Coordinates of all heavy atoms in Angstrom, one line a residue:
M166 N 0.8 -1.2 0.0 CA 0.0 0.0 0.0 C 0.9 1.2 0.1 O 2.0 1.2 0.6 CB -0.8 0.0 1.2 CG -2.0 1.0 1.2 SD -3.3 0.7 2.5 CE -3.7 2.3 3.0
A167 N 0.4 2.3 -0.7 CA 1.2 3.4 -0.7 C 1.2 4.1 0.4 O 0.4 4.0 1.3 CB 0.6 4.4 -1.8
D168 N 2.5 4.7 0.8 CA 2.8 5.5 1.9 C 2.6 7.1 1.8 O 3.4 7.6 1.2 CB 4.2 5.2 2.2 CG 4.7 5.8 3.6 OD1 3.7 6.1 4.3 OD2 5.8 5.8 4.0
F169 N 1.4 7.6 2.2 CA 1.1 8.9 2.0 C 1.8 9.8 3.0 O 1.8 9.6 4.2 CB -0.4 9.1 2.0 CG -1.0 8.8 0.7 CD1 -1.6 7.5 0.7 CD2 -1.3 9.7 -0.4 CE1 -2.2 7.0 -0.7 CE2 -1.9 9.2 -1.6 CZ -2.3 8.0 -1.6
V170 N 2.3 10.9 2.6 CA 3.0 11.8 3.5 C 2.4 13.2 3.2 O 2.1 13.7 2.1 CB 4.5 11.9 3.0 CG1 5.2 12.9 3.9 CG2 5.2 10.5 3.2
T171 N 2.2 13.9 4.4 CA 1.7 15.4 4.3 C 2.8 16.2 3.8 O 3.8 16.3 4.3 CB 1.2 15.8 5.6 OG1 0.0 14.9 6.0 CG2 0.6 17.2 5.5
V172 N 2.4 17.0 2.6 CA 3.4 17.8 2.1 C 3.0 19.3 2.1 O 3.8 20.2 1.9 CB 3.9 17.3 0.6 CG1 4.6 16.1 0.7 CG2 2.6 17.4 -0.2
A173 N 1.7 19.6 2.2 CA 1.3 21.0 2.1 C -0.2 21.0 2.8 O -0.7 20.0 3.1 CB 1.3 21.6 0.8
Q174 N -0.7 22.3 2.8 CA -2.0 22.5 3.2 C -3.0 23.0 2.2 O -2.5 23.8 1.3 CB -2.1 23.6 4.3 CG -1.1 23.3 5.5 CD -1.3 21.9 6.2 OE1 -2.4 21.4 6.5 NE2 -0.2 21.2 6.3
V175 N -4.1 22.5 2.1 CA -5.0 22.9 1.1 C -5.2 24.4 1.2 O -5.3 25.2 0.2 CB -6.3 22.2 1.2 CG1 -7.4 22.7 0.2 CG2 -6.3 20.7 1.0
S176 N -5.4 24.9 2.5 CA -5.6 26.4 2.6 C -4.5 27.2 2.1 O -4.8 28.4 1.9 CB -5.9 26.5 4.1 OG -4.8 26.1 5.0
A177 N -3.4 26.7 1.8 CA -2.3 27.4 1.3 C -2.2 27.3 -0.2 O -1.1 27.8 -0.8 CB -0.9 27.0 2.0
L178 N -3.1 26.5 -0.8 CA -3.0 26.4 -2.3 C -4.3 26.5 -3.0 O -5.0 25.7 -3.3 CB -2.6 24.9 -2.5 CG -2.2 24.3 -3.8 CD1 -0.9 25.1 -4.3 CD2 -2.1 23.0 -4.1
P179 N -4.5 27.8 -3.1 CA -5.9 28.3 -3.7 C -6.1 27.8 -5.1 O -5.0 27.5 -5.8 CB -5.8 29.8 -3.7 CG -4.5 30.2 -3.0 CD -3.7 29.1 -2.8
E180 N -7.2 27.8 -5.6 CA -7.6 27.2 -7.0 C -6.7 28.1 -7.9 O -6.7 29.3 -7.7 CB -8.9 27.3 -7.3 CG -9.9 26.2 -6.6 CD -11.3 26.2 -7.1 OE1 -11.5 26.6 -8.3 OE2 -12.0 25.6 -6.5
G181 N -6.1 27.5 -8.8 CA -5.4 28.1 -9.9 C -4.0 28.3 -9.5 O -3.1 28.8 -10.4
S182 N -3.5 27.9 -8.3 CA -2.1 28.0 -7.9 C -1.3 26.9 -7.9 O -1.9 25.7 -8.0 CB -2.1 28.7 -6.5 OG -2.5 27.8 -5.6
A183 N 0.0 27.1 -7.9 CA 0.9 25.9 -7.8 C 2.1 26.1 -6.8 O 2.3 27.4 -6.5 CB 1.6 25.6 -9.0
T184 N 2.6 25.0 -6.2 CA 3.6 25.3 -5.2 C 4.5 24.0 -5.4 O 4.2 23.0 -5.8 CB 3.2 25.4 -3.8 OG1 4.2 25.8 -3.0 CG2 2.7 24.0 -3.3
Q185 N 5.9 24.3 -5.2 CA 6.8 23.2 -5.1 C 7.1 22.7 -3.8 O 7.2 23.5 -2.7 CB 8.2 23.7 -5.7 CG 9.1 22.6 -5.9 CD 10.5 23.1 -6.4 OE1 11.3 23.6 -5.5 NE2 10.7 23.1 -7.5
V186 N 7.1 21.4 -3.6 CA 7.6 20.8 -2.3 C 8.7 19.8 -2.5 O 8.8 19.4 -3.7 CB 6.2 20.0 -1.6 CG1 5.2 21.1 -1.4 CG2 5.8 18.8 -2.6
S187 N 9.2 19.4 -1.5 CA 10.3 18.4 -1.5 C 9.9 17.1 -0.8 O 9.5 17.3 0.3 CB 11.6 19.1 -1.0 OG 12.7 18.1 -1.0
L188 N 10.0 16.0 -1.5 CA 9.6 14.7 -0.9 C 10.8 13.8 -1.2 O 11.0 13.4 -2.4 CB 8.3 14.3 -1.3 CG 7.7 13.1 -0.5 CD1 7.7 13.2 0.9 CD2 6.4 12.6 -1.2
R189 N 11.4 13.2 -0.1 CA 12.6 12.4 -0.3 C 13.4 12.8 -1.4 O 13.8 12.0 -2.3 CB 11.9 11.0 -0.6 CG 11.2 10.4 0.7 CD 10.6 9.1 0.5 NE 9.7 8.7 1.7 CZ 8.7 8.2 1.4 NH1 8.1 7.8 0.3 NH2 7.9 7.8 2.5
G190 N 13.9 14.0 -1.4 CA 15.0 14.4 -2.3 C 14.4 14.8 -3.7 O 15.1 15.3 -4.6
Q191 N 13.0 14.6 -3.9 CA 12.4 15.0 -5.2 C 11.7 16.3 -5.2 O 11.1 16.6 -4.2 CB 11.4 13.8 -5.7 CG 12.0 12.4 -5.7 CD 12.9 12.4 -7.1 OE1 12.6 12.8 -8.2 NE2 14.1 11.8 -6.7
K192 N 11.9 17.1 -6.1 CA 11.1 18.3 -6.3 C 9.8 17.9 -7.0 O 9.8 17.5 -8.1 CB 11.8 19.3 -7.1 CG 13.0 20.0 -6.5 CD 13.6 21.0 -7.4 CE 14.8 21.7 -6.7 NZ 15.3 22.8 -7.7
I193 N 8.8 18.2 -6.3 CA 7.4 17.8 -6.8 C 6.6 19.1 -6.7 O 6.6 19.9 -5.8 CB 6.7 16.8 -5.8 CG1 7.5 15.4 -5.9 CG2 5.3 16.6 -6.2 CD1 7.2 14.4 -4.9
S194 N 5.7 19.4 -7.8 CA 4.9 20.5 -7.7 C 3.4 20.0 -7.5 O 3.1 19.1 -8.0 CB 5.0 21.3 -9.0 OG 4.7 20.6 -10.1
L195 N 2.7 20.8 -6.7 CA 1.3 20.6 -6.5 C 0.6 21.6 -7.2 O 0.8 22.9 -7.2 CB 1.0 20.7 -5.1 CG 1.7 19.8 -4.1 CD1 1.5 20.2 -2.7 CD2 1.6 18.4 -4.3
W196 N -0.5 21.3 -7.9 CA -1.4 22.1 -8.7 C -2.8 22.0 -8.4 O -3.3 21.0 -8.3 CB -1.2 21.8 -10.2 CG 0.2 22.0 -10.7 CD1 1.2 21.0 -10.6 CD2 0.8 23.1 -11.5 NE1 2.4 21.6 -11.2 CE2 2.1 22.8 -11.7 CE3 0.3 24.3 -11.9 CZ2 3.0 23.7 -12.4 CZ3 1.1 25.3 -12.5 CH2 2.4 24.8 -12.7
N197 N -3.4 23.1 -8.1 CA -4.9 23.1 -7.6 C -5.7 23.6 -9.0 O -5.5 24.8 -9.2 CB -5.1 24.1 -6.5 CG -6.7 23.9 -6.0 OD1 -7.5 23.6 -6.9 ND2 -6.9 24.3 -4.8
V198 N -6.4 22.7 -9.5 CA -7.0 23.0 -10.8 C -8.5 22.8 -10.6 O -8.9 21.5 -10.5 CB -6.5 22.1 -11.9 CG1 -7.3 22.6 -13.3 CG2 -5.0 22.3 -12.2
G199 N -9.1 23.9 -10.3 CA -10.6 23.8 -10.1 C -11.0 22.9 -8.9 O -12.0 22.2 -8.8
G200 N -10.1 22.9 -7.9 CA -10.3 22.2 -6.6 C -9.8 20.8 -6.6 O -9.8 20.2 -5.6
T201 N -9.3 20.2 -7.8 CA -8.6 19.1 -7.8 C -7.1 19.3 -7.6 O -6.5 20.2 -8.4 CB -8.8 18.3 -9.0 OG1 -10.3 18.1 -9.1 CG2 -8.2 16.9 -9.1
I202 N -6.4 18.5 -6.8 CA -5.0 18.8 -6.6 C -4.2 17.6 -7.2 O -4.5 16.5 -7.1 CB -4.7 18.8 -5.2 CG1 -5.4 20.1 -4.5 CG2 -3.1 18.8 -4.9 CD1 -5.4 20.2 -3.2
Y203 N -3.3 18.0 -8.1 CA -2.4 17.1 -8.8 C -0.9 17.3 -8.3 O -0.5 18.4 -8.0 CB -2.3 17.5 -10.3 CG -3.7 17.3 -11.0 CD1 -4.5 18.4 -11.1 CD2 -4.2 16.1 -11.5 CE1 -5.8 18.4 -11.7 CE2 -5.4 16.1 -12.0 CZ -6.3 17.2 -12.2 OH -7.5 17.1 -12.7
A204 N -0.2 16.2 -8.3 CA 1.2 16.2 -7.9 C 1.9 15.5 -9.1 O 1.8 14.5 -9.6 CB 1.5 15.4 -6.6
I205 N 3.0 16.2 -9.4 CA 3.8 15.9 -10.6 C 5.3 16.3 -10.4 O 5.5 17.3 -9.7 CB 3.2 16.6 -11.9 CG1 3.7 15.9 -13.1 CG2 3.4 18.1 -11.9 CD1 2.9 16.3 -14.3
N206 N 6.2 15.5 -10.9 CA 7.6 15.9 -10.8 C 7.8 17.4 -11.4 O 7.2 17.5 -12.5 CB 8.5 14.9 -11.5 CG 10.0 15.0 -11.2 OD1 10.5 16.1 -11.4 ND2 10.6 14.1 -10.5
D207 N 8.6 18.2 -10.6 CA 8.5 19.6 -11.1 C 9.7 20.0 -12.0 O 9.8 21.0 -12.4 CB 8.6 20.5 -9.9 CG 8.2 21.9 -10.0 OD1 7.3 22.1 -10.9 OD2 8.9 22.7 -9.4
I208 N 10.4 19.0 -12.3 CA 11.6 19.1 -13.1 C 11.2 18.8 -14.6 O 11.3 17.6 -14.9 CB 12.8 18.4 -12.7 CG1 13.1 18.7 -11.1 CG2 14.1 18.8 -13.5 CD1 13.3 20.2 -10.8
C209 N 11.3 19.8 -15.5 CA 11.0 19.6 -16.9 C 11.9 18.5 -17.4 O 13.1 18.7 -17.4 CB 10.9 20.8 -17.6 SG 10.4 20.7 -19.4
T210 N 11.3 17.7 -18.3 CA 12.2 16.6 -19.1 C 12.8 17.2 -20.1 O 13.8 16.5 -20.8 CB 11.3 15.5 -19.4 OG1 10.3 15.9 -20.3 CG2 10.7 14.8 -18.2
H211 N 12.6 18.4 -20.6 CA 13.3 19.1 -21.6 C 14.8 19.6 -21.1 O 15.8 18.9 -21.5 CB 12.5 20.1 -22.2 CG 13.4 20.7 -23.4 ND1 13.5 22.2 -23.4 CD2 13.9 20.4 -24.4 CE1 14.2 22.6 -24.5 NE2 14.4 21.5 -25.1
E212 N 14.8 20.7 -20.4 CA 16.0 21.2 -19.8 C 16.1 21.4 -18.4 O 16.7 22.3 -17.9 CB 16.5 22.4 -20.7 CG 17.0 21.9 -22.0 CD 17.6 23.1 -23.0 OE1 17.6 24.3 -22.4 OE2 18.0 22.8 -24.1
E213 N 15.2 20.8 -17.6 CA 15.2 20.8 -16.2 C 14.8 22.0 -15.5 O 15.3 22.4 -14.4 CB 16.5 20.3 -15.7 CG 16.9 19.0 -16.3 CD 18.2 18.2 -15.7 OE1 18.9 19.1 -14.8 OE2 18.5 17.2 -15.9
C214 N 13.9 22.8 -16.1 CA 13.4 24.1 -15.4 C 12.4 23.5 -14.5 O 11.8 22.5 -14.6 CB 12.6 24.9 -16.4 SG 13.7 25.9 -17.5
D215 N 12.3 24.4 -13.3 CA 11.3 24.1 -12.3 C 10.0 24.6 -12.9 O 9.7 25.9 -13.1 CB 11.6 25.0 -11.0 CG 12.7 24.3 -10.3 OD1 13.5 23.6 -10.9 OD2 13.0 24.7 -9.2
I216 N 9.0 23.7 -13.3 CA 7.8 24.1 -14.0 C 7.0 25.0 -13.1 O 6.3 25.9 -13.6 CB 7.1 22.9 -14.4 CG1 7.9 22.1 -15.4 CG2 5.8 23.2 -15.1 CD1 7.5 20.7 -15.8
S217 N 6.8 24.7 -11.9 CA 6.0 25.5 -11.0 C 6.5 27.0 -10.8 O 5.7 27.9 -10.5 CB 5.8 25.0 -9.6 OG 7.0 24.8 -8.8
D218 N 7.7 27.2 -11.1 CA 8.2 28.6 -11.2 C 7.9 29.4 -12.4 O 8.6 29.6 -13.2 CB 9.8 28.5 -11.0 CG 10.4 30.0 -10.8 OD1 9.6 30.9 -10.4 OD2 11.6 30.1 -10.7
G219 N 6.6 29.7 -12.5 CA 6.1 30.5 -13.6 C 5.2 29.7 -14.7 O 4.7 30.3 -15.6
G220 N 5.1 28.3 -14.4 CA 4.4 27.6 -15.3 C 2.8 27.9 -15.2 O 2.4 28.4 -14.2
T221 N 2.2 27.7 -16.3 CA 0.7 28.1 -16.3 C -0.2 26.8 -16.6 O 0.3 25.9 -17.5 CB 0.4 29.2 -17.2 OG1 0.9 28.8 -18.5 CG2 1.0 30.5 -16.8
V222 N -1.3 26.8 -16.2 CA -2.3 25.7 -16.5 C -3.0 26.1 -17.8 O -3.3 27.2 -17.9 CB -3.3 25.5 -15.3 CG1 -4.4 24.5 -15.8 CG2 -2.7 25.1 -14.1
V223 N -3.0 25.1 -18.7 CA -3.6 25.4 -19.9 C -4.5 24.2 -20.3 O -4.3 23.0 -19.9 CB -2.5 25.6 -21.1 CG1 -1.7 26.7 -20.9 CG2 -1.6 24.3 -21.2
N224 N -5.5 24.3 -21.2 CA -6.3 23.3 -21.8 C -6.8 22.3 -20.7 O -6.9 21.1 -20.7 CB -5.4 22.3 -22.7 CG -4.7 23.1 -23.7 OD1 -5.2 24.0 -24.3 ND2 -3.5 22.6 -24.1
G225 N -7.4 22.9 -19.5 CA -8.0 22.1 -18.5 C -6.9 21.6 -17.6 O -6.5 22.5 -16.8
A226 N -6.4 20.4 -17.6 CA -5.6 19.9 -16.6 C -4.2 19.6 -17.2 O -3.6 18.6 -17.1 CB -6.1 18.6 -16.0
Q227 N -3.8 20.6 -18.0 CA -2.3 20.4 -18.6 C -1.4 21.7 -18.0 O -2.1 22.8 -17.7 CB -2.4 20.4 -20.1 CG -3.1 19.2 -20.6 CD -3.1 19.1 -22.1 OE1 -2.8 20.0 -22.7 NE2 -3.4 18.0 -22.6
V228 N -0.3 21.5 -18.0 CA 0.7 22.6 -17.6 C 1.7 23.0 -18.6 O 2.2 22.1 -19.2 CB 1.1 22.4 -16.2 CG1 2.2 21.2 -16.3 CG2 1.8 23.6 -15.6
E229 N 2.0 24.3 -18.6 CA 3.0 24.7 -19.8 C 4.3 25.1 -19.0 O 4.2 26.0 -18.0 CB 2.5 25.9 -20.5 CG 3.3 26.3 -21.6 CD 2.8 27.3 -22.6 OE1 1.6 27.5 -22.6 OE2 3.5 28.0 -23.3
C230 N 5.4 24.5 -19.4 CA 6.7 24.9 -18.8 C 7.0 26.4 -19.2 O 6.8 26.8 -20.3 CB 7.7 24.0 -19.3 SG 9.3 24.3 -18.8
P231 N 7.5 27.1 -18.3 CA 7.8 28.5 -18.5 C 9.0 28.8 -19.3 O 9.1 29.9 -19.9 CB 7.9 29.1 -17.1 CG 8.4 28.0 -16.2 CD 7.7 26.8 -16.8
C232 N 9.8 27.8 -19.4 CA 11.0 27.9 -20.1 C 11.0 27.9 -21.6 O 11.4 28.9 -22.4 CB 12.1 26.9 -19.7 SG 12.6 27.3 -18.0
H233 N 10.4 26.9 -22.2 CA 10.4 26.8 -23.7 C 8.9 26.2 -24.1 O 8.9 25.9 -25.3 CB 11.4 25.8 -24.2 CG 12.8 26.1 -23.6 ND1 13.3 25.3 -22.6 CD2 13.6 27.0 -23.9 CE1 14.5 25.8 -22.3 NE2 14.8 26.9 -23.1
G234 N 7.9 26.4 -23.3 CA 6.6 26.0 -23.7 C 6.1 24.6 -23.8 O 5.1 24.4 -24.4
A235 N 7.0 23.6 -23.3 CA 6.5 22.2 -23.3 C 5.2 22.1 -22.5 O 5.1 22.9 -21.5 CB 7.6 21.2 -22.8
I236 N 4.3 21.2 -22.9 CA 3.1 21.1 -22.1 C 3.1 19.6 -21.7 O 3.3 18.6 -22.6 CB 1.9 21.4 -23.1 CG1 1.9 22.9 -23.4 CG2 0.5 21.1 -22.3 CD1 0.8 23.4 -24.4
F237 N 2.6 19.4 -20.4 CA 2.5 18.1 -19.9 C 1.0 18.0 -19.4 O 0.4 18.9 -18.8 CB 3.5 18.0 -18.5 CG 4.9 18.1 -19.1 CD1 5.6 19.3 -19.1 CD2 5.6 16.9 -19.5 CE1 6.8 19.4 -19.4 CE2 6.9 17.0 -19.9 CZ 7.5 18.4 -19.8
D238 N 0.5 16.8 -19.3 CA -0.8 16.4 -18.7 C -0.6 16.2 -17.3 O 0.1 15.4 -16.8 CB -1.3 15.2 -19.4 CG -2.8 15.0 -19.2 OD1 -3.2 15.0 -18.0 OD2 -3.6 15.0 -20.0
L239 N -1.3 17.0 -16.4 CA -1.2 16.7 -15.0 C -1.7 15.5 -14.6 O -1.3 15.0 -13.4 CB -1.9 17.9 -14.3 CG -1.2 19.3 -14.4 CD1 -2.2 20.3 -13.9 CD2 0.0 19.4 -13.5
R240 N -2.6 14.9 -15.3 CA -3.3 13.6 -14.8 C -2.3 12.3 -15.0 O -2.3 11.4 -14.5 CB -4.6 13.3 -15.6 CG -5.6 14.4 -15.1 CD -6.5 14.6 -16.2 NE -6.0 15.1 -17.4 CZ -6.8 15.6 -18.3 NH1 -8.2 15.7 -18.2 NH2 -6.3 16.2 -19.5
T241 N -1.5 12.5 -16.2 CA -0.9 11.3 -16.6 C 0.7 11.5 -16.7 O 1.6 10.7 -16.6 CB -1.2 10.9 -18.1 OG1 -0.9 12.0 -19.0 CG2 -2.6 10.5 -18.1
G242 N 1.1 12.9 -16.8 CA 2.5 13.3 -16.9 C 2.9 13.3 -18.4 O 4.0 13.6 -18.7
D243 N 2.0 12.8 -19.2 CA 2.6 12.7 -20.6 C 3.0 14.0 -21.2 O 2.3 15.1 -20.9 CB 1.3 12.1 -21.5 CG 1.2 10.6 -21.3 OD1 2.0 10.0 -20.8 OD2 0.1 10.2 -21.6
A244 N 4.0 14.1 -22.0 CA 4.3 15.3 -22.7 C 3.3 15.4 -24.0 O 3.2 14.6 -24.8 CB 5.8 15.1 -23.2
K245 N 2.7 16.6 -24.0 CA 1.7 16.9 -25.0 C 2.2 17.9 -26.1 O 1.5 18.0 -27.1 CB 0.4 17.5 -24.3 CG -0.2 16.4 -23.5 CD -0.7 15.3 -24.2 CE -1.6 14.4 -23.4 NZ -2.1 13.2 -24.2
A246 N 3.3 18.5 -25.8 CA 3.8 19.5 -26.9 C 5.4 19.5 -26.6 O 5.9 19.7 -25.5 CB 3.1 20.9 -26.6
L247 N 6.0 19.7 -27.8 CA 7.4 19.9 -27.8 C 7.9 21.2 -27.1 O 6.9 22.1 -27.1 CB 7.9 19.9 -29.4 CG 7.6 18.6 -30.1 CD1 7.9 18.7 -31.5 CD2 8.4 17.5 -29.4
P248 N 9.1 21.4 -26.7 CA 10.2 20.5 -27.1 C 10.3 19.3 -26.2 O 11.2 18.5 -26.4 CB 11.4 21.4 -26.9 CG 10.9 22.4 -25.9 CD 9.5 22.5 -26.0
A249 N 9.5 19.0 -25.1 CA 9.6 17.9 -24.3 C 9.0 16.7 -25.1 O 8.0 16.8 -25.5 CB 9.0 18.1 -22.9
V250 N 9.7 15.6 -24.8 CA 9.1 14.2 -25.5 C 8.9 13.1 -24.3 O 8.0 12.2 -24.4 CB 9.9 13.6 -26.5 CG1 9.8 14.6 -27.7 CG2 11.4 13.5 -26.1
E251 N 9.5 13.4 -23.3 CA 9.6 12.4 -22.1 C 8.6 12.9 -21.0 O 8.5 14.0 -20.7 CB 10.9 12.4 -21.5 CG 11.4 11.1 -21.2 CD 12.8 11.1 -20.5 OE1 13.7 11.4 -21.2 OE2 12.8 10.9 -19.4
A252 N 7.8 11.9 -20.6 CA 6.7 12.2 -19.6 C 7.4 12.5 -18.2 O 8.4 12.2 -17.9 CB 5.8 11.0 -19.4
L253 N 6.6 13.2 -17.4 CA 6.9 13.6 -16.1 C 6.2 12.4 -15.2 O 5.2 12.1 -15.4 CB 6.4 14.9 -15.6 CG 7.0 16.2 -16.2 CD1 6.3 17.5 -15.8 CD2 8.6 16.3 -15.7
R254 N 6.9 12.2 -14.1 CA 6.2 11.2 -13.2 C 5.1 12.0 -12.4 O 5.2 13.0 -12.1 CB 7.3 10.7 -12.1 CG 6.8 9.7 -11.2 CD 7.7 9.1 -10.3 NE 7.2 8.4 -9.3 CZ 7.8 7.9 -8.1 NH1 9.1 8.2 -8.0 NH2 7.1 7.2 -7.3
T255 N 4.1 11.3 -12.3 CA 3.0 11.8 -11.4 C 2.9 11.0 -10.1 O 3.4 9.9 -10.0 CB 1.6 11.6 -12.1 OG1 1.4 10.4 -12.5 CG2 1.7 12.6 -13.3
Y256 N 2.2 11.5 -9.2 CA 2.1 11.0 -7.9 C 0.6 10.9 -7.3 O -0.1 11.9 -7.5 CB 2.9 11.7 -6.8 CG 4.4 11.9 -7.2 CD1 4.9 12.9 -7.9 CD2 5.3 10.9 -6.8 CE1 6.2 13.1 -8.4 CE2 6.6 11.0 -7.1 CZ 7.0 12.2 -8.1 OH 8.4 12.1 -8.3
P257 N 0.2 9.8 -6.7 CA -1.0 9.9 -6.1 C -1.3 10.9 -5.0 O -0.3 11.2 -4.3 CB -1.1 8.4 -5.4 CG 0.0 7.6 -6.1 CD 1.0 8.6 -6.4
V258 N -2.3 11.4 -4.9 CA -2.7 12.6 -4.0 C -4.0 12.2 -3.2 O -5.0 11.7 -3.9 CB -2.9 13.9 -4.8 CG1 -3.3 15.1 -3.8 CG2 -1.7 14.4 -5.6
R259 N -4.0 12.6 -2.0 CA -5.3 12.5 -1.2 C -5.2 13.7 -0.3 O -4.2 14.2 0.2 CB -5.3 11.2 -0.5 CG -4.5 11.0 0.7 CD -4.9 9.6 1.5 NE -4.0 9.5 2.6 CZ -3.9 8.4 3.4 NH1 -4.3 7.3 2.9 NH2 -3.2 8.4 4.5
V260 N -6.6 14.0 0.1 CA -6.6 15.2 1.0 C -7.3 14.6 2.2 O -8.4 14.1 2.2 CB -7.5 16.3 0.3 CG1 -7.8 17.4 1.3 CG2 -6.8 16.9 -0.9
E261 N -6.7 15.0 3.5 CA -7.3 14.7 4.7 C -7.5 15.9 5.5 O -6.4 16.5 6.0 CB -6.3 13.6 5.4 CG -6.1 12.3 4.8 CD -7.2 11.4 5.0 OE1 -7.9 11.5 6.0 OE2 -7.6 10.5 4.2
G262 N -8.6 16.4 5.6 CA -8.9 17.7 6.2 C -8.3 18.8 5.4 O -8.5 18.9 4.2
D263 N -7.2 19.4 6.1 CA -6.5 20.5 5.4 C -5.2 20.0 4.7 O -4.4 20.7 4.1 CB -6.3 21.7 6.2 CG -5.8 22.9 5.6 OD1 -6.3 23.2 4.4 OD2 -4.8 23.6 6.0
A264 N -4.8 18.7 5.0 CA -3.7 18.2 4.6 C -3.7 17.5 3.2 O -4.5 16.9 2.8 CB -3.1 17.1 5.6
I265 N -2.6 18.1 2.4 CA -2.4 17.5 1.2 C -1.4 16.4 1.3 O -0.3 16.6 1.8 CB -1.9 18.5 0.0 CG1 -3.0 19.6 -0.1 CG2 -1.6 17.8 -1.3 CD1 -2.5 20.8 -0.9
Q266 N -1.7 15.2 1.0 CA -0.8 14.0 1.2 C -0.5 13.4 -0.3 O -1.3 13.4 -1.1 CB -1.4 13.0 2.1 CG -1.7 13.6 3.4 CD -2.4 12.5 4.3 OE1 -3.0 11.6 4.0 NE2 -2.0 12.7 5.7
V267 N 0.9 13.1 -0.4 CA 1.4 12.5 -1.7 C 2.1 11.2 -1.3 O 2.7 11.2 -0.3 CB 2.2 13.5 -2.3 CG1 3.0 12.9 -3.4 CG2 1.7 14.9 -2.8
A268 N 1.8 10.2 -2.2 CA 2.5 9.0 -2.0 C 3.7 8.9 -3.1 O 3.4 9.3 -4.3 CB 1.6 7.8 -2.1
M269 N 4.7 8.2 -2.8 CA 5.9 8.2 -3.7 C 5.8 6.6 -4.2 O 5.3 5.8 -3.5 CB 7.1 8.4 -3.2 CG 7.3 9.9 -2.9 SD 9.0 10.4 -2.6 CE 9.6 10.5 -4.4
Ligands
FES62 S1 12.9 23.3 -19.8 FE1 10.8 23.1 -20.0 S2 10.3 23.3 -22.0 FE2 12.5 23.5 -22.0

C-alpha cells in the first residue's frame, strides 16, 4: 500500500495556484485546478526548469513549462507539446482535512 506523506495544506494552495514541495529528495509540484490537486515531478524533462516557477495551467488539466513551452498532462504526466518528449512522473494525491498528502 502506498505510503502517503503530508506535504502541504489545502488552505495554502488556492484554486489556480501551484507550489513546489520536496519529498525524499524529489522536487514535486502541486497544482490546484478547479479544486482538484495534482502532484507531478517539477523538473521539466526538456532542460530541467522548475515548472511551478512560472508555469501556467492550460487546456484544462495540462501545464505549460515557463522555459520553452512544453506542455504536460497533470493527470498522466505525458508530454503533450514539444520540445519535451519524455513524460513527467505523477504521484497519487489524497486530501485529509486540510492536509495534502502525496505517495511516492
Ligand atoms: S525546460 Fe521545459 S520546455 Fe524547456
Side-chain angles (χ1 to χ4, degrees):
M166 191 164 145
D168 187 15
F169 282 89
V170 177
T171 298
V172 293
Q174 309 304 315
V175 177
S176 54
L178 189 70
E180 283 192 25
S182 70
T184 191
Q185 185 186 83
V186 298
S187 179
L188 183 58
R189 296 185 187 132
Q191 299 291 310
K192 287 181 176 177
I193 296 171
S194 57
L195 305 174
W196 300 81
N197 184 338
V198 182
T201 300
I202 296 169
Y203 300 94
I205 194 165
N206 193 300
D207 201 31
I208 307 303
C209 185
T210 59
H211 176 233
E212 287 187 357
E213 302 188 354
C214 281
D215 290 10
I216 299 172
S217 64
D218 186 11
T221 52
V222 173
V223 294
N224 306 327
Q227 298 181 347
V228 64
E229 183 174 344
C230 178
C232 288
H233 313 103
I236 294 176
F237 298 92
D238 192 306
L239 288 167
R240 296 159 293 200
T241 63
D243 289 345
K245 294 295 188 183
L247 296 172
V250 292
E251 223 178 287
L253 290 170
R254 182 176 172 189
T255 59
Y256 303 88
V258 176
R259 76 180 182 195
V260 173
E261 293 285 332
D263 193 40
I265 300 171
Q266 300 182 328
V267 171
M269 293 197 78

